[in-house]
Amino acid sequence: MTVMIEPGLLAGAVTPPPSKSQAHRLLIARALAGENLDDPAHRADSQDIRATRDCLKSLREGEGKLPVLECGESGSTLRFLIPVALALQGGGVFRGRGRLMDRPQEPYFRIFDGMGITHRREGDSLTVRGRLRPGEYPMPGDVSSQFVTGLLFALPLLEGESIIRLTSPLESRGYVDMTLQVLRDRGIRVEELPEGFRVPGGQQYGRGTLGEEADYSQAAFWLAAAGLGSPLTVEGLDPDSTQGDRCVVSYFQQLAGPGRVELDIAQCPDLAPALAVRAALRPGQTARLVNAGRLRLKECDRLAAIPEELNKLGGQLTEGADFLEIRGVERLLGGVADSHNDHRIAMMLAVAATRAEGTVTIRGAESVAKSYPDFWEVYESLGGRVLRQREEREACDM
């Protein structure tokens, strides 16, 4: 789908959807506690969340054969559930779309090779087979915290004690804190060590009380629009949340001031598109997003896509090996840009349209469904003028 957005500010109050990161974790905990996964009290819904829910149902039904788990494009679903599937069913066949199977899984594979667990990729399918055993799990912390979370969910199910030993500093620590919060809520004991985590075995998931929080990573786009002049009020955010992307509030405060700003996004890489569009419209000021190398491993190479697409609209951004340099301009001109099939790039461009002089056309706008299915409806409810058009290439595929 292509959307064409006429210039204009947004206005009103908006509540972001439930945190996708938290919803994945709550779903897994509910499944491991034997609870109903279709409880309407849990509002989170997106392509990624549906993938996790469907995969968990497949795991429940997989007795006697390897379950087939359709992960869509969700890296969280894949990485969280690989060790869970090994612990519960002796493995599974994981299927993905887009770039999912190209995203790194080597931290798991190195462990599996030492345990006799087999793994084989064929196209968009990854088959893992074997059983997790209690023991020591060396794990790099600088590839993705999702590997640590996957093990933290699975290791309590084993018979004996295990240790996750971090071999490099843990990035995106806030996401692991969110996992630990969910585990504690379910009665799961995990001891933090200077070099990692000790996880006793033989544990059972109990009932929990944690509810869904509004998502800071999605709120970032509305906050960016507000910082660019739209009179928006973002509601429902918990100031004491364990969400790592909560730092977006202080980062936008820095961007609101004068002078050169350097923002370290090692712990919050998903904020890069929202931060970049805000920084792109600080006339005469420079900002740099540093420690941004992991952006290359997302739904697209975001480190390349962010400057490519904002520059099409009149921005002045430069891609580095692991940073983005952003020279603020007075205004954007409008033009045609592409989402790269990445939900966060599409939403970034929608925010850019609020400060463009001409129409902004976004190809691949349907990609927002990955995390924010009603984004365009919410955008319009806030006064955004959006014209939708199905793309010719989409029609040909039907």
Side-chain angles (χ1 to χ4, degrees), residues 9-256:
L9 298 178
L10 307 176
V14 59
T15 300
S19 165
K20 184 164 70 80
S21 299
Q22 187 190 47
H24 283 297
R25 291 160 170 81
L26 291 175
L27 267 173
I28 295 169
R30 285 164 52 201
L32 295 176
E35 296 175 9
N36 177 18
L37 299 180
D38 293 314
D39 186 342
H42 299 275
R43 300 181 298 111
D45 185 44
S46 65
Q47 289 178 348
D48 282 9
I49 296 305
R50 287 194 293 271
T52 290
R53 183 182 292 113
D54 292 344
C55 286
L56 289 167
K57 290 178 180 178
S58 296
L59 278 175
R60 284 180 170 179
E61 301 164 358
E63 289 294 340
K65 60 180 180 180
L66 285 186
V68 177
L69 309 177
E70 301 286 351
C71 300
E73 295 184 80
S74 175
S76 296
T77 304
L78 177 62
R79 289 171 174 165
F80 291 172
L81 294 187
I82 285 176
V84 172
L86 289 167
L88 292 179
Q89 300 289 359
V93 180
F94 295 83
R95 294 175 178 167
R97 298 195 309 270
R99 283 167 42 106
L100 180 63
M101 290 302 170
D102 294 327
R103 297 172 74 171
Q105 307 301 331
E106 284 76 13
Y108 280 153
F109 294 163
R110 285 194 289 269
I111 293 172
F112 296 164
D113 290 341
M115 287 188 166
I117 295 172
T118 63
H119 50 90
R120 184 181 75 257
R121 176 184 171 184
E122 294 179 336
D124 289 331
S125 178
L126 171 67
T127 300
V128 294
R129 190 188 301 266
R131 289 282 181 181
L132 289 185
R133 299 194 302 271
E136 184 170 300
Y137 287 76
M139 179 63 58
D142 58 353
V143 179
S144 173
S145 65
Q146 293 172 346
F147 298 110
V148 176
T149 284
L151 289 172
L152 285 172
F153 274 117
L155 295 180
L157 304 172
L158 307 184
E159 292 183 358
E161 178 180 280
S162 298
I163 291 178
I164 300 172
R165 180 173 56 81
L166 297 173
T167 59
S168 61
L170 180 60
E171 295 186 357
S172 297
R173 168 70 204 218
Y175 291 102
V176 173
D177 289 339
M178 183 184 294
T179 302
L180 294 172
Q181 180 189 40
V182 171
L183 292 174
R184 287 193 296 269
D185 182 59
R186 294 289 174 162
I188 298 298
R189 304 184 313 279
V190 175
E191 179 187 354
E192 295 196 48
L193 306 172
E195 72 282 5
F197 304 92
R198 176 181 287 115
V199 185
Q203 301 191 62
Q204 292 185 336
Y205 283 76
R207 301 194 69 83
T209 60
L210 279 179
E212 297 173 340
E213 300 176 359
D215 194 348
Y216 271 93
S217 59
Q218 308 292 29
F221 295 100
W222 306 124
L223 294 170
L228 294 176
S230 289
L232 288 174
T233 301
V234 183
E235 300 178 336
L237 296 172
D238 180 358
D240 298 318
S241 172
T242 58
Q243 294 179 53
D245 287 349
R246 186 183 64 173
C247 66
V248 71
V249 175
S250 64
Y251 279 9
F252 278 140
Q253 289 173 346
Q254 294 180 60
L255 289 172

